[in-house]
Amino acid sequence: MAQLPPGIRFITSFSRDQWYRAFIFTLTFFLYASFHLSRKPISIVKGELHKHCAASHEVELSSYREYAAQIQPVKKLSNASQCGWEPFDKSNYKQLLGALDYSFLCAYAIGMYLSGIIGERLPIRYYLTVGMLASGLFTAMFGLGYFYNIHNLWFYIMAQIANGLVQTTGWPSVVTCIGNWFGKGRRGLIMGIWNSHTSVGNILGSLIAAYWVSTCWGLSFVMPGVIIAVMGIFCFLFLIEHPKDISCSSTPSSDPEMQHLLIDSENSTASQNSSSAATGEGRHGTSAISFLGALRIPGVIEFSLCLLFAKLVSYTFLFWLPLYITNVEHLDAKRAGDLSTLFDVGGIFGGILAGLISDRLEKRASTCGMMLLLAAPTLYMFSAVSKMGLEATVVMLLISGALVNGPYALITTAVSADLGTHKSLKGNARALSTVTAIIDGTGSVGAALGPLLAGLISPSGWNNVFYMLMVADACALLFLLRLIQKELRCNADHTLFKEH
């Protein structure tokens, strides 16, 4: 009998269940990467919506405009002025651009609280598909303002609000799906790798948007809109919500790393969870958890408030970093957008590192706290070093990205999944979507505030923006102190027990 080819031996070395898990891991990775891909263009296009006029000609241009307005009050028909795209070509452009960010993020934060509750009552595949198709529509809608020569601020604000609302369908859905397929044993590492979809989406979104930003910025939105819509079709065709849907076995749901932090008693309910899963009660036989019921799960409130400030920092970088690089390094919008992707590259390593450390130490809160403690002084160094040249900026972008995005990635993935399948829920797996939405929804409040505050503070100097971000990191750490103390106390008790 002939020996099987190496490729076939490799394929058959994995079980059917393992192949399905790898498929769901990959599919949900690219589904949510497309969400972030569609959010990134606005930060890249900001440098094109408002172009800095040459300083030596500011007075002449101002005088010319006043004179032209007096002798020829004709409506401007061109797509852009010499200083950008109307209405963002005025001196208050930072506030107007901040309003675009705030519109999207505020709608996202409000919609997220509702999205988790709705998502638990609808099939994930249908819910996510509709959300992705709608996201594609509203992302492209912003870019249509370029092709139809629209200069009304409210058109762009309404496109951002609508997009923010429909994009809330994404996160609770994919986290619930990935939580159904993967147990808790190495959840930190697995989800740390999986959560790199955020940075991958940001990088791809930056590169796609930067490709057209200087020639036809409308395509910087239309193309990402088409991509997320196409991925929505893939979601409808291929997403499998739960292993039971195709008779796959569930992974063990042992919880070694979170029991020190989150348990209320010493009695394990693993047998109850297994029993509920076997009878289908965990998925279909129990009612969806209430909003207040989810808040009573130990750790939900603390991690939610921590994420509020951690996400404030992360999203301020997401929406304002390219413009900051443009101002400090004096680069054009395309080069600034390309350079800003290094922050997301650092974020990939930060998320994986946070998951690996938290699995090894079996301490989620302590891992987040350690990275937050290092992030604050790193941000101060970034503000100082970035003015010294391009090479220093590259190094600090990578380090800052890792420390800023590490805690954010860990809380929104492994911690959310741990809390959503907490033993106090007694096998009610339908709570995962609501818990995830509460944590990420609270974080999204910070995501809305960060870019807004940056838009208000930046006119007084970029250093003040970095001071605000450092204070936010300190506040995030403050809300974790009780959980960190509890982890350390439980670890000491466990060590003492082993000695006796």
Side-chain angles (χ1 to χ4, degrees):
M1 186 175 181
Q3 188 178 19
L4 288 174
I8 299 300
R9 289 205 306 272
F10 174 79
I11 293 173
T12 56
S13 67
F14 297 96
S15 67
R16 172 179 177 271
D17 290 2
Q18 288 174 322
W19 277 114
Y20 269 112
R21 284 194 173 83
F23 173 73
I24 294 300
F25 181 96
T26 305
L27 179 61
T28 53
F29 180 97
F30 285 107
L31 289 180
Y32 204 72
S34 67
F35 276 94
H36 268 265
L37 181 149
S38 67
R39 295 175 195 173
K40 188 64 178 178
I42 185 64
S43 67
I44 305 299
V45 175
K46 279 178 180 175
E48 188 69 18
L49 293 179
H50 180 88
K51 297 178 181 179
H52 289 283
C53 301
S56 60
H57 300 296
E58 284 180 356
V59 176
E60 290 83 355
L61 284 171
S62 177
S63 301
Y64 172 78
R65 287 181 190 138
E66 292 175 2
Y67 174 73
Q70 293 173 2
I71 66 170
Q72 192 179 7
V74 180
K75 183 178 179 180
K76 182 167 52 184
L77 297 176
S78 62
N79 277 345
S81 74
Q82 291 176 303
C83 297
W85 183 270
E86 188 182 353
F88 306 103
D89 56 346
K90 308 297 188 298
S91 60
N92 64 337
Y93 71 98
K94 289 183 179 179
Q95 288 78 10
L96 297 182
L97 294 174
L100 293 181
D101 298 339
Y102 186 72
S103 300
F104 174 89
L105 294 167
C106 189
Y108 186 86
I110 294 172
M112 184 60 75
Y113 288 111
L114 301 174
S115 181
I117 297 173
I118 297 172
E120 286 188 0
R121 291 157 174 81
L122 295 174
I124 287 178
R125 182 165 61 93
Y126 297 141
Y127 186 56
L128 186 55
T129 298
V130 172
M132 296 183 77
L133 292 175
S135 296
L137 172 65
F138 292 118
T139 300
M141 177 180 165
F142 195 103
L144 293 178
Y146 174 88
F147 297 104
Y148 289 95
N149 202 30
I150 298 173
H151 299 280
N152 188 316
L153 177 65
W154 283 103
F155 171 83
Y156 299 103
I157 287 180
M158 293 307 297
Q160 288 288 83
I161 291 174
N163 201 15
L165 288 173
V166 297
Q167 289 230 348
T168 60
T169 59
W171 191 242
S173 299
V174 294
V175 171
T176 298
C177 187
I178 203 77
N180 289 339
W181 278 88
F182 292 90
K184 298 181 181 179
R186 290 179 297 169
R187 180 173 278 169
L189 176 60
I190 290 172
M191 287 198 162
I193 297 172
W194 178 74
N195 191 68
S196 63
H197 55 51
T198 299
S199 297
V200 170
N202 289 341
I203 292 169
L204 292 176
S206 297
L207 295 176
I208 292 171
Y211 184 81
W212 281 290
V213 65
S214 299
T215 55
C216 179
W217 65 257
L219 288 176
S220 296
F221 290 91
V222 172
M223 294 308 297
V226 171
I227 291 173
I228 190 173
V230 170
M231 291 304 299
I233 297 173
F234 274 92
C235 173
F236 177 79
L237 294 175
F238 298 109
L239 185 67
I240 305 168
E241 177 180 343
H242 200 281
K244 288 181 173 40
D245 294 339
I246 52 170
S247 302
C248 278
S249 62
S250 298
T251 53
S253 58
S254 59
D255 192 2
E257 70 273 358
M258 289 298 287
Q259 49 185 249
H260 297 308
L261 173 62
L262 301 172
I263 60 174
D264 294 322
S265 64
E266 294 297 323
N267 297 323
S268 173
T269 58
S271 60
Q272 294 177 353
N273 293 346
S274 301
S275 174
S276 297
T279 60
E281 291 177 0
R283 187 169 168 233
H284 298 295
T286 54
S287 60
I289 193 172
S290 67
F291 185 86
L292 293 178
L295 286 177
R296 284 195 288 267
I297 298 172
V300 167
I301 293 178
E302 290 91 339
F303 276 114
S304 296
L305 292 174
C306 172
L307 185 62
L308 186 152
F309 290 99
K311 206 167 179 179
L312 182 154
V313 178
S314 181
Y315 267 64
T316 300
F317 274 95
L318 175 68
F319 282 89
W320 285 93
L321 181 58
L323 186 61
Y324 171 76
I325 293 174
T326 298
N327 290 348
V328 173
E329 300 292 342
H330 305 293
L331 302 176
D332 60 29
K334 183 182 185 305
R335 292 185 64 195
D338 292 341
L339 187 61
S340 70
T341 61
L342 293 175
F343 183 82
D344 296 298
V345 173
I348 293 175
F349 292 104
I352 295 173
L353 185 63
L356 183 63
I357 293 174
S358 68
D359 279 346
R360 183 65 61 87
L361 299 179
E362 300 181 357
K363 294 177 177 62
R364 304 285 199 221
S366 299
T367 303
C368 291
M370 178 175 59
M371 298 188 84
L372 288 169
L373 187 63
L374 294 173
T378 302
L379 291 177
Y380 177 80
M381 291 175 60
F382 179 83
S383 66
V385 172
S386 60
K387 299 169 185 175
M388 299 180 181
L390 195 59
E391 295 78 7
T393 301
V394 168
V395 174
M396 293 310 301
L397 279 172
L398 292 170
I399 298 174
S400 300
L403 294 175
V404 168
N405 287 330
Y408 161 43
L410 186 62
I411 294 172
T412 53
T413 54
V415 170
S416 295
D418 288 340
L419 295 174
T421 53
H422 186 253
K423 62 190 301 182
S424 65
L425 297 171
K426 299 180 180 179
N428 181 7
R430 295 183 66 187
L432 181 54
S433 181
T434 296
V435 170
T436 301
I438 289 174
I439 293 176
D440 198 51
T442 305
S444 297
V445 173
L449 289 175
L452 175 67
L453 291 174
L456 296 175
I457 296 173
S458 57
S460 64
W462 286 106
N463 283 340
N464 293 330
V465 175
F466 280 95
Y467 294 145
M468 180 266 291
L469 298 179
M470 286 185 279
V471 171
D473 267 330
C475 291
L477 177 60
L478 184 65
F479 281 109
L480 285 185
L481 288 181
R482 188 184 72 85
L483 297 181
I484 293 173
Q485 183 182 20
K486 189 174 182 179
E487 281 183 344
L488 296 176
R489 186 173 66 249
C490 288
N491 185 65
D493 293 343
H494 181 66
T495 303
L496 185 63
F497 177 78
K498 288 177 66 177
E499 290 176 353
H500 286 78

